[in-house]
Amino acid sequence: MRYNKKLPYYAIKSMYYTIVTDEKGLIMFLSKNYQELLNLEEDDFLGKHVQDIIDNSEIPRVLRTKKEEIGKLFTMKNGETVVCNRIPIFENDILLGVISSATFYNLNEVSKLHKQIENLNKENMEYKKKLCELYSKQKFSIDQVIGNSAKIMDVKRTVQRFANSNLTVLITGETGTGKEVFANAIHKLSSRRNENFVKINCAAIPKDLLESELFGYEPGSFSGANKNGKMGKFELAKNGTLLLDEIGEMPLALQSKLLRVLQEGEIERIGGLKTIKLDVRVICSTNQNIEEQVEKGLFRRDLYYRINVIEIKLPPLRERLADIQLLSKFFIEKINNSYGLGITEIKKDVYALFNEYEWVGNVRELQHVLERACIMAGTGPLELEHFDFLLSKIYKKYETEEEQLANKSVSLNSITSEVEKENIIKALVETNGNKTSAAKLLNIDRSSLYNKLKKYSIDF
C-alpha cells in the first residue's frame, strides 16, 4: 500500500493543523497537533479519504476547482474556528494534491492582528501626510512656473501673497495663457496642498447637466440617474480646492445657487433634503470680460463681486516675449520625452521669427507650434525651415492691400491642398505619429494617407 511509509519531508512541527492529500483526496500527511485534536494514530488516517476523517472538509472542492483558497474560516471538530489556507500542489501543470494549513488557531488572534494592522495603517497615513507636506514644500515653488519677464513676475508675487489664504480667486486672461497652471500653483502653495484639486469646465458640460456635476444628486432624482446617487465636484473637493474654469459660461439660474454655496459654505444635492457642510477653496477662471457680461445682464453682479475677491490677470504671450526662450526649452524637453525625439536646440533666427508673431493662441499655441516642428525635424536643432507654416502667417501681416487682393485669386486647388496638409499634420500630432490612428481620424484608408504624405513631403 502506497501510504504505509512515513513522509518526513512534510513533518513540519511549526505548522498549525496541517493536512496534505493526493489528487484523489487521500490523506498523505497530518500534523502532530491535528492528530492529537482528532485523537488519531497514523494507521487511522494514512491512505483514507479526507472526508472519511474530517466530514466537513473543503479540500475536495479545491481538488475540483484547482484554485487556492486563502484566509477561509473553518470550524473544527472541537468547535474552534480557524483560518485556513488551502493550496493545490502542481508539478508541470499536473495536480498532485492539496496542502491545507490553519495559520491561526482562533479568531482572537486574527482580531488582535487585524487591530495591529489598522493601527499601523493609521500611523502610515500620518507619516505619509507629513512626508507629503515636506515633499510639497521642497519640490514646488512658484519659480517652477515658467517665465521671468516683468509682467509674469508680478503675477507670481501676487500668487505667493494670497495662495495660503482662503480667499476666492478670479484668474482672467486670453485663451492659452495658462490659467489652469496658476490655479494649480495656488493650490500647491496653500495649506490644502495634500487635499484634492478638482477641476470642472463650465463650458464643456451641457447646461442641464452642470448642476448635477457640481452639486451631485440623490438616488432616483431624475430619469437616467445612477441608482446609488452621485457625489458632485464640490464634495470631491472637500477640504481642498475647486477650479471653476470658464465661469462666464455658467447659466444665470445656476449662478444664484453657486452664490449661496459660496456664502453659506454648504450644498444640497439634487433631490436631497439635507444640507452638506463643506470647506472648499474656490478658484474661478475665464477668458471673457465678466464686467461686460454683468452690464449685459448675462452674469450676476453679486456673484461677480463674490468671486472677484482677488483678481489675477495673466498677460498674453505677445506682452511677455522675453519668456519665449524659457517656455520653448521647457516644451522641447517635454516633447522629446513624449515622442522619443532628439531635438537639441532652437536656432536664433527662429526666436527672431517668434518675436514677430502675434501668438493669438498664447502659450498653448507656442506648445503646439513647437510640437509640430519637433515631429517634422525628429532630431537636431530646430531651424527656420521647420516653421514654414508660421512664416506664411507672419508675412501676411506685412502684405500691401494690392498683394492681399492678388493673393485672393489663388486657385481653389492650392488652398485645398494647404488645408489638407495642415489637417494631416495635425492628425499625426494628435495620434503621436501613429499612421493607422491618423488615417482613422482623417476618415481615409492607410494607403491613401501614405500617398498624401509622399505628395506633401511630410516626413514622420
Side-chain angles (χ1 to χ4, degrees):
M1 185 174 178
R2 61 181 291 194
Y3 300 103
N4 58 1
K5 293 182 179 179
K6 293 183 179 180
L7 302 173
Y9 51 91
Y10 281 122
I12 305 172
K13 293 184 179 179
S14 61
M15 284 187 173
Y16 291 105
Y17 305 128
T18 302
I19 183 170
V20 180
T21 74
D22 67 3
E23 75 281 3
K24 296 178 182 177
L26 305 182
I27 299 172
M28 299 172 64
F29 170 79
L30 200 63
S31 64
K32 195 69 177 175
N33 55 352
Y34 215 161
Q35 291 180 41
E36 291 171 358
L37 176 70
L38 300 174
N39 195 24
L40 295 173
E41 299 293 335
E42 283 191 351
D43 291 339
D44 298 326
F45 63 82
L46 280 178
K48 304 285 180 66
H49 195 278
V50 64
Q51 286 187 319
D52 292 336
I53 305 299
I54 308 168
D55 54 11
N56 61 339
S57 173
E58 304 289 353
I59 287 177
R61 181 176 63 242
V62 177
L63 290 170
R64 288 195 304 274
T65 63
K66 300 180 181 179
K67 293 180 180 179
E68 66 179 26
E69 296 181 353
I70 304 297
K72 301 294 183 179
L73 295 181
F74 182 71
T75 303
M76 305 186 77
K77 282 194 172 182
N78 64 351
E80 187 175 13
T81 301
V82 294
V83 180
C84 280
N85 298 324
R86 306 181 188 97
I87 302 171
I89 304 167
F90 290 96
E91 184 177 354
N92 298 326
D93 295 328
I94 298 173
L95 180 65
L96 298 182
V98 171
I99 179 170
S100 174
S101 178
T103 50
F104 299 101
Y105 59 87
N106 61 53
L107 286 178
N108 289 332
E109 292 294 325
V110 178
S111 178
K112 192 185 295 182
L113 184 61
H114 181 69
K115 287 179 181 177
Q116 289 175 348
I117 292 171
E118 277 189 338
N119 290 334
L120 286 171
N121 281 335
K122 286 179 182 177
E123 287 181 24
N124 184 47
M125 290 300 292
E126 287 298 317
Y127 286 127
K128 185 178 178 183
K129 189 173 181 180
K130 289 176 182 177
L131 283 171
C132 283
E133 289 176 359
L134 290 170
Y135 181 81
S136 298
K137 289 176 183 175
Q138 292 172 357
K139 297 298 286 186
F140 184 84
S141 72
I142 194 64
D143 293 331
Q144 288 177 264
V145 177
I146 309 299
N148 56 17
S149 62
K151 289 195 173 185
I152 214 67
M153 290 305 291
D154 283 342
V155 173
K156 288 184 178 184
R157 282 190 285 270
T158 303
V159 168
Q160 281 184 306
R161 191 176 299 122
F162 295 104
N164 209 29
S165 71
N166 285 318
L167 298 176
T168 307
V169 178
L170 175 63
I171 304 176
T172 59
E174 296 177 7
T175 298
T177 49
K179 295 184 286 294
E180 187 177 319
V181 172
F182 279 93
N184 191 38
I186 292 170
H187 173 72
K188 286 185 175 181
L189 289 169
S190 74
S191 58
R192 301 170 183 265
R193 66 181 69 89
N194 295 318
E195 306 298 337
N196 286 340
F197 176 57
V198 179
K199 299 166 281 187
I200 182 168
N201 189 322
C202 300
I205 298 172
K207 293 180 180 180
D208 54 342
L209 295 179
L210 185 56
E211 183 177 3
S212 64
E213 284 294 316
L214 282 171
F215 307 116
Y217 56 83
E218 295 293 342
S221 299
F222 50 87
S223 61
N226 189 307
K227 64 179 181 179
N228 298 317
K230 183 182 178 182
M231 186 182 290
K233 300 295 186 186
F234 267 95
E235 286 182 79
L236 286 172
K238 186 177 180 181
N239 300 323
T241 305
L242 175 65
L243 171 61
L244 298 175
D245 193 17
E246 303 300 346
I247 185 70
E249 299 292 335
M250 181 173 285
L252 271 170
L254 196 52
Q255 289 177 25
S256 59
K257 188 166 183 178
L258 175 61
L259 178 63
R260 179 180 175 275
V261 171
L262 295 177
Q263 289 175 337
E264 304 297 329
E266 59 186 29
I267 65 163
E268 286 183 13
R269 288 185 179 184
I270 296 174
L273 300 175
K274 66 176 183 177
T275 58
I276 301 171
K277 285 284 184 183
L278 291 174
D279 176 19
V280 177
R281 193 337 171 33
V282 175
I283 299 175
C284 302
S285 66
T286 182
N287 59 10
Q288 299 186 20
N289 188 322
I290 300 291
E291 289 182 348
E292 285 185 4
Q293 286 188 290
V294 169
E295 295 304 320
K296 293 176 182 178
L298 300 174
F299 200 89
R300 289 181 63 109
R301 188 179 298 274
D302 48 5
L303 178 60
Y304 171 61
Y305 291 136
R306 184 64 184 77
I307 64 174
N308 192 23
V309 180
I310 304 295
E311 182 175 1
I312 297 176
K313 295 182 179 180
L314 300 186
L317 185 57
R318 60 185 172 275
E319 294 179 9
R320 48 178 292 214
L321 293 175
D323 292 329
I324 283 184
Q325 285 198 32
L326 285 174
L327 288 165
S328 297
K329 288 176 182 177
F330 170 78
F331 286 133
I332 285 174
E333 184 178 349
K334 188 176 177 182
I335 293 163
N336 278 339
N337 291 334
S338 296
Y339 294 95
L341 303 178
I343 303 301
T344 55
E345 61 174 328
I346 299 180
K347 293 291 188 179
K348 287 183 179 179
D349 50 359
V350 174
Y351 284 124
L353 174 71
F354 284 177
N355 288 334
E356 293 294 320
Y357 189 54
E358 291 186 348
W359 298 110
V360 178
N362 294 293
V363 178
R364 187 181 297 125
E365 184 181 10
L366 174 63
Q367 180 180 359
H368 292 162
V369 164
L370 288 169
E371 198 168 28
R372 171 175 169 170
C374 287
I375 291 174
M376 290 286 284
T379 59
L382 293 181
E383 305 191 43
L384 275 178
E385 64 187 76
H386 301 121
F387 297 92
D388 56 346
F389 59 95
L390 206 59
L391 280 166
S392 60
K393 293 180 182 179
I394 292 172
Y395 292 152
K396 210 169 201 177
K397 185 174 69 172
Y398 298 107
E399 286 178 352
T400 65
E401 192 174 325
E402 288 182 1
E403 287 173 330
Q404 288 176 7
L405 288 171
N407 285 336
K408 286 182 181 177
S409 64
V410 176
S411 69
L412 181 62
N413 284 338
S414 64
I415 294 173
T416 303
S417 296
E418 184 61 32
V419 171
E420 187 174 54
K421 182 180 178 181
E422 289 278 343
N423 286 336
I424 290 171
I425 293 172
K426 184 179 178 183
L428 287 165
V429 168
E430 288 182 11
T431 58
N432 295 334
N434 187 308
K435 295 180 178 60
T436 301
S437 299
K440 287 182 181 178
L441 198 61
L442 294 165
N443 201 23
I444 60 176
D445 58 53
R446 187 181 169 92
S447 60
S448 297
L449 175 61
Y450 275 105
N451 289 334
K452 292 180 187 295
L453 291 175
K454 187 176 180 181
K455 174 183 176 183
Y456 298 123
S457 301
I458 300 172
D459 184 19
F460 274 82

